[in-house]
Amino acid sequence: MAERGINVTLFDKARGPGGRMASKRRPSATLDLGAQTFTVRDARFLQLIESLENQGVVARWPGVSFEAGNAGWTRLDDDQRRYTGAPRMSAITRELANRLTRFKHVKTHFDTRVQALTKPGDGQRGWALCADHHQPLGTFDTVVITAPPPQAEALIGEWDPVLAQACSARAQRSCWAGYVVFKTPLPPIDSVIHWESLHARHAALRLVSRNHTKPGREHQPESLSLLAQLDWSEQMLERPAGEVACALYAAFRSLLPRDIELPDIVELGAHRWRYAQASAPGHESYLYSEQGLALCGESFRGSRVEDAWLSGRELGNALAELPESYRNQTSV
Ligand SMILES: Cc1cc2nc3c(=O)[nH]c(=O)nc-3n(C[C@H](O)[C@H](O)[C@H](O)COP(=O)(O)OP(=O)(O)OC[C@H]3O[C@@H](n4cnc5c(N)ncnc54)[C@H](O)[C@@H]3O)c2cc1C
């Protein structure tokens, strides 16, 4: 939309761009807490990712993956090319947000939660947005909501029953993401000389990634992201983060040979994604109503990073084709 000259104001409740591609910066290490890697299938997305790869913001990772369960560790090889952000996953969203700064007609506001949408008075078209404590954020012809469907529904439920129904039809799965930072490197494991990511066959644990093996983080101390199984996450959803972190760490420990001694822990924690991913892929890329409300994001298309980007891109192009009076001022 920015490239097509449309006035856009972007609000995000988080401190920076990232969403489910967020990274946590700790004093000694940077940990990816959402997506660890992503794949590329669509030629349009490939073009973006290649440009980011040339800039050093995206790199191929992991190089060496294993699978671990009762039968031990086995090397996992598939032909799928996977990417990550460098030097952290949120470097990608930061770069995309930075690219917006060259457009004078685009404004971005972080740390700003859109709390409500109302119709402006005097029979005017469009939507008035307000933040927490009823702070007005402005009036816009069109509002695009990219939040996960349950959060989008809370904003539009009162105004658009059809879009609200589309949101409630898109159930979301939850996921706990644990992390651990060690004082010294992990010891080698039997015949495994080097590993970067581990697919766990465990009731609690799904995926382990070694953050310091990701491009641009070679100088950080050893740290792991511990992604939980979705069923387990939902059973543990309301448990304290400390308890969840200990359980995920114990699950990882159980996949190692008993005689291995693990290094001292500097930090152990967990982040809860209440809305981590759509439970089933959507069939539309985005939704738009005549009232000037639109929904997009991964849940409308699939459940992957690529789906999120394509959904936004396709909606942006569709809105740009609308008569100008519909989208003079758009908020996202
Ligand atoms: C643990 C985990 C593992 C994953 N693994 C993979 C993987 O291996 N491969 C893959 O391709 N994908 C993976 N994904 C999915 C991928 O991260 C998402 O599909 C993608 O990042 C979603 O992008 P989005 O823009 O649709 O939504 P989001 O990234 O959720 O963005 C929504 C934004 O809306 C903001 N927001 C919400 N409500 C408000 C409000 N009221 N006011 C203002 N701002 C608001 C949020 O702060 C957020 O920045 C994973 C996700 C998680 C959580």
Side-chain angles (χ1 to χ4, degrees):
M1 292 175 82
E3 284 160 9
R4 306 276 292 257
I6 299 167
N7 296 329
V8 180
T9 306
L10 188 146
F11 299 102
D12 197 308
K13 66 179 180 176
R15 265 181 299 161
R20 281 171 274 175
M21 294 169 79
S23 308
K24 189 176 183 73
R25 288 211 239 183
R26 303 305 299 151
S28 57
T30 302
L31 310 133
D32 296 330
L33 291 184
Q36 305 292 309
T37 62
F38 58 88
T39 48
V40 177
R41 291 167 200 170
D42 182 279
R44 294 164 292 174
F45 190 52
L46 180 63
Q47 204 180 4
L48 170 79
I49 294 307
E50 283 178 344
S51 82
L52 292 170
E53 199 179 1
N54 289 337
Q55 260 182 281
V57 173
V58 159
R60 293 177 200 186
W61 184 91
V64 191
S65 296
F66 276 80
E67 187 175 38
N70 292 339
W73 288 46
T74 44
R75 177 91 191 242
L76 253 190
D77 281 313
D78 64 18
D79 292 336
Q80 187 73 64
R81 193 179 282 178
R82 292 184 174 80
Y83 298 85
T84 193
R88 57 187 175 278
M89 190 53 109
S90 62
I92 297 172
T93 44
R94 260 182 211 272
E95 169 56 22
L96 296 182
N98 280 344
R99 287 184 185 183
L100 294 177
T101 56
R102 70 188 151 100
F103 298 105
K104 288 204 167 57
H105 53 282
V106 176
K107 296 183 191 118
T108 52
H109 301 277
F110 292 98
D111 251 330
T112 310
R113 192 172 84 94
V114 177
Q115 202 264 328
L117 260 66
T118 50
K119 294 212 190 252
D122 313 333
Q124 263 179 278
R125 249 188 73 80
W127 298 95
L129 265 54
C130 75
D132 292 328
H133 312 297
H134 308 291
Q135 181 205 339
L137 295 172
T139 301
F140 302 91
D141 295 330
T142 303
V143 176
V144 174
I145 305 175
T146 71
Q151 291 170 329
E153 188 178 358
L155 290 170
I156 54 157
E158 187 183 339
W159 305 111
D160 198 314
V162 175
L163 291 190
Q165 165 60 26
C167 287
S168 54
R170 281 164 179 80
Q172 297 287 303
R173 303 297 310 267
S174 304
C175 180
W176 276 103
Y179 56 90
V180 55
V181 184
F182 293 105
K183 216 168 188 173
T184 52
L186 286 173
I189 299 155
D190 288 345
S191 55
V192 180
I193 295 162
H194 175 71
W195 64 280
E196 296 179 349
S197 91
L198 179 70
H199 294 254
R201 286 179 178 272
H202 189 281
L205 188 62
R206 172 166 57 119
L207 184 75
V208 182
S209 54
R210 291 177 98 179
N211 286 295
H212 78 291
T213 67
K214 293 177 181 171
R217 286 186 247 186
E218 298 82 0
H219 302 298
Q220 295 185 3
E222 176 97 56
S223 73
L224 306 176
S225 297
L226 304 162
L227 265 51
Q229 299 283 1
L230 303 183
D231 287 343
W232 185 88
S233 296
E234 284 159 4
Q235 283 158 23
M236 300 290 282
L237 199 58
E238 304 304 334
R239 307 302 302 171
E243 178 188 333
V244 170
C246 289
L248 290 174
Y249 182 66
F252 171 66
R253 181 76 193 82
S254 74
L255 298 172
L256 302 173
R258 277 193 194 171
D259 56 343
I260 273 202
E261 214 170 294
L262 291 182
D264 288 345
I265 292 175
V266 176
E267 192 173 351
L268 176 68
H271 175 85
R272 180 178 62 188
W273 295 100
R274 192 177 284 280
Y275 308 119
Q277 63 182 82
S279 59
H283 300 297
E284 314 87 352
S285 197
Y286 57 82
L287 293 171
Y288 173 76
S289 89
E290 290 288 306
Q291 301 195 68
L293 290 175
L295 301 172
C296 68
E298 56 115 43
S299 305
F300 292 90
R301 204 173 201 285
S303 59
R304 301 177 305 116
V305 167
E306 181 177 49
D307 295 310
W309 186 82
L310 286 170
S311 166
R313 176 135 193 119
E314 286 168 7
L315 175 61
N317 282 331
L319 289 177
E321 297 300 323
L322 288 174
E324 205 170 313
S325 59
Y326 275 77
R327 40 79 176 161
N328 264 340
Q329 298 282 344
T330 300
S331 99
V332 179

